[in-house]
Amino acid sequence: MTSACQYCRGRLPSFVGEELSAAELNAVRAHLRDCLACRNEASSFLRARNALQATGAATASGPAEPFFAQMHADILASVAVEPAPAPAVGWPGSRWSVARWRGVRWAIAAAAVLALTVAVWPVRNGLLDRRAIPSAGIVVSPYAGPGAQPMQPLGFEGPGESRNQGMRGRAELHGIVDRDEPRSPVRAMPVGISGTHAAQAGILTGQRRAR
Amino acid sequence: MPHPIRAQKLRTLESTLPAGLPDPVDRLAAAVAVTDAELIRRTAGGESDAFAALVARYQKRAFWIAFHVVGRVEDARDITQEAFVRLYRSLDKYDYARSFYTWFYRIVMNLAIDHHRKHRHDPSASLEDFQGGLPDDSADDVQPIEAAEQHGQVWRVLERLDSKFRTVLVLRDIHGLSCREIAPILRITHATVRWRLHRGRQVFRDYWERLTMEDA
Ligand SMILES: [Zn+2]
């Protein structure tokens, strides 16, 4: 697999989600035109995403209207016995509810206890115990031998995660963060799956698996 | 950030409202000029129609999000109802400077994720829940029976996904929210949303390909 293939494969999940930047999209499209293996990989991602979206769209017209009408009535009935909560205290639009002020009071009390502990502890344990200071001639220094290596980020291997993902994958993604706007024109319970990027790259045609 | 109601491409606001609402509630729920924050303000002021309108606006979306996470109609219905009760009880904590739907979807998602983690190995009735209710899915480009089979496979794959992947796939790929909208709902960073989508689509694709290969 060439480095161009690696670049392309690392972006295929975002490609099918239409979340790539224009520059990345052009690079991926150009590579897909020339590379059959990556094109097959892309259509595999598309088949999976199309199936997911089709299922979402199909179930969305499941329960009939009376189901929702009943649910509406049940929700209102379940709150009918309660008065509406009082507006928040403090200035309009603020989040300083009664519960929050209560939380702040606890935080202040906890901070006071902590401050007292910090003030008393060294007097009792450290500063008064002069024998703890090493005598002349003994040099104490933190170990930093010549073989010390800078720490490497650990790879993340959660359930179902393969090796070499995690931090490394995040680094790959780092370059494409912040680029999912403007939002996809195909949104919210898509019925007919278009796969704009894919269609433009010509990889949606004739990809349905023969059964 | 576009409001989800105004941004909704495939459904109008009217079609998301349940049928048979009393006239004043229906009018209030459909009034685009009356914001969600205004409805909350009126609810806090004791106007019961305002809360009824808020429920009407969001109950279907809340139900579908919950359903796609937990996979069962009855559970999704309970979660939706519980979410509205919690919402009602915590209206005093609402920050008027922030969007309502982010706050409310967070309540729904927390309940749904919690439920999914506890019950993910229960036998799912998700597809059976809709047998007979599935529409003639002509846009799907496959025959109804084949489509139903495919939906069943998708549910089986979703069942196997970890909650952290399932939730982002549901919100982004099924419900069409942007990564920037998803981040505050799940209380994770935008970069984490992107990462989970990336891995989630890989894991989903791998399971799905394996399952369809086995069945072919
Ligand atoms: Zn390639």
Side-chain angles (χ1 to χ4, degrees):
Chain A
M1 194 160 52
T2 67
S3 61
C5 288
Q6 280 177 335
Y7 176 92
C8 177
R9 302 258 173 128
R11 280 156 184 79
L12 286 180
S14 299
F15 173 72
V16 299
E18 302 181 22
E19 293 141 1
L20 292 181
S21 69
E24 286 171 318
L25 185 57
N26 286 337
V28 169
R29 274 188 197 149
H31 182 74
L32 289 177
R33 271 195 291 272
D34 299 334
C35 180
L36 177 64
C38 286
R39 215 155 54 228
N40 287 339
E41 186 74 356
S43 46
S44 157
F45 273 106
L46 274 169
R47 281 196 300 271
R49 186 168 190 264
N50 288 354
L52 176 63
Q53 291 189 317
T55 298
T59 50
S61 43
E65 282 303 316
F67 173 88
F68 287 109
Q70 184 61 48
M71 188 197 287
H72 189 267
D74 291 346
I75 290 167
L76 294 188
S78 59
V79 300
V81 290
E82 303 178 28
V89 297
W91 51 94
S94 82
R95 301 194 68 183
W96 292 97
S97 61
V98 172
R100 203 148 175 208
W101 279 114
R102 212 173 283 142
V104 168
R105 285 211 308 265
W106 277 107
I108 291 169
V113 170
L114 184 67
L116 200 62
T117 310
V118 167
V120 168
W121 186 82
V123 175
R124 288 193 53 179
N125 297 290
L127 294 179
L128 294 180
D129 187 4
R130 291 170 190 278
R131 287 168 302 175
I133 298 172
S135 59
I138 302 172
V139 177
V140 180
S141 64
Y143 173 72
Q149 296 291 323
M151 289 174 73
Q152 300 294 325
L154 294 171
F156 171 68
E157 285 188 60
E161 311 265 356
S162 60
R163 285 198 169 276
N164 298 324
Q165 300 292 340
M167 295 300 285
R168 185 169 153 190
R170 273 180 196 273
E172 283 171 13
L173 268 183
H174 188 70
I176 54 173
V177 160
D178 294 336
R179 292 182 195 159
D180 68 318
E181 308 292 351
R183 289 156 57 162
S184 158
V186 182
R187 278 195 46 132
M189 304 285 193
V191 176
I193 308 306
S194 60
T196 315
H197 293 175
Q200 285 169 356
I203 58 174
L204 254 185
T205 49
Q207 293 295 346
R208 184 167 294 285
R209 181 189 307 283
R211 293 177 60 91
Chain B
M1 184 186 291
H3 191 283
I5 289 174
R6 285 192 286 275
Q8 192 79 277
K9 293 289 191 296
L10 298 174
R11 283 150 190 271
T12 63
L13 173 59
E14 284 71 25
S15 75
T16 67
L17 300 177
L21 294 171
D23 269 353
V25 174
D26 197 43
R27 269 201 302 275
L28 203 52
V32 177
V34 181
T35 62
D36 298 334
E38 175 63 19
L39 290 179
I40 292 172
R41 221 171 261 126
R42 292 192 194 181
T43 304
E47 201 180 313
S48 61
D49 281 354
F51 188 68
L54 203 58
V55 174
R57 276 188 185 179
Y58 283 96
Q59 69 169 35
K60 284 190 183 177
R61 272 183 285 259
F63 171 83
W64 286 117
I65 286 178
F67 175 75
H68 289 128
V69 174
V70 302
R72 294 172 68 103
V73 169
E74 275 313 305
D75 296 343
R77 183 197 154 94
D78 291 348
I79 286 168
T80 307
Q81 191 163 338
E82 175 65 17
F84 276 111
V85 170
R86 289 191 184 194
L87 167 75
Y88 186 81
R89 287 177 184 160
S90 56
L91 283 177
D92 58 333
K93 295 186 186 72
Y94 176 60
D95 178 357
Y96 286 86
R98 289 165 191 259
S99 80
F100 166 76
Y101 76 90
T102 301
W103 185 53
F104 179 55
Y105 286 177
R106 188 186 295 164
I107 298 174
V108 175
M109 283 307 272
N110 284 344
L111 289 167
I113 291 168
D114 199 37
H115 184 283
H116 181 244
R117 283 187 182 142
K118 284 180 189 155
H119 301 276
R120 65 179 297 201
H121 300 298
D122 293 355
S124 173
S126 42
L127 185 65
E128 288 74 15
D129 282 342
F130 290 109
Q131 290 290 339
L134 281 170
D136 182 4
D137 202 5
S138 52
D140 197 21
D141 190 31
V142 283
Q143 294 304 306
I145 293 173
E146 197 182 341
E149 261 176 42
Q150 181 179 287
H151 300 326
Q153 287 169 332
V154 168
W155 279 113
R156 274 192 278 162
V157 174
L158 280 174
E159 274 303 300
R160 293 165 73 170
L161 285 190
D162 188 279
S163 291
K164 68 174 183 278
F165 296 140
R166 183 165 172 155
T167 47
V168 291
L169 288 183
V170 164
L171 291 175
R172 174 78 183 133
D173 286 350
I174 296 182
H175 289 267
L177 298 185
S178 76
C179 297
R180 293 219 173 278
E181 289 171 308
I182 295 170
I185 291 171
L186 297 178
R187 281 189 198 258
I188 54 180
T189 65
H190 179 248
T192 304
V193 176
R194 298 297 305 272
W195 167 245
R196 288 186 186 178
L197 269 177
H198 182 87
R199 278 299 291 152
R201 287 184 186 134
Q202 282 177 332
V203 174
F204 183 92
R205 191 281 307 258
D206 292 349
Y207 282 149
W208 197 78
E209 286 283 305
R210 219 177 298 155
L211 200 64
T212 49
M213 293 280 183
E214 282 167 10
D215 289 1

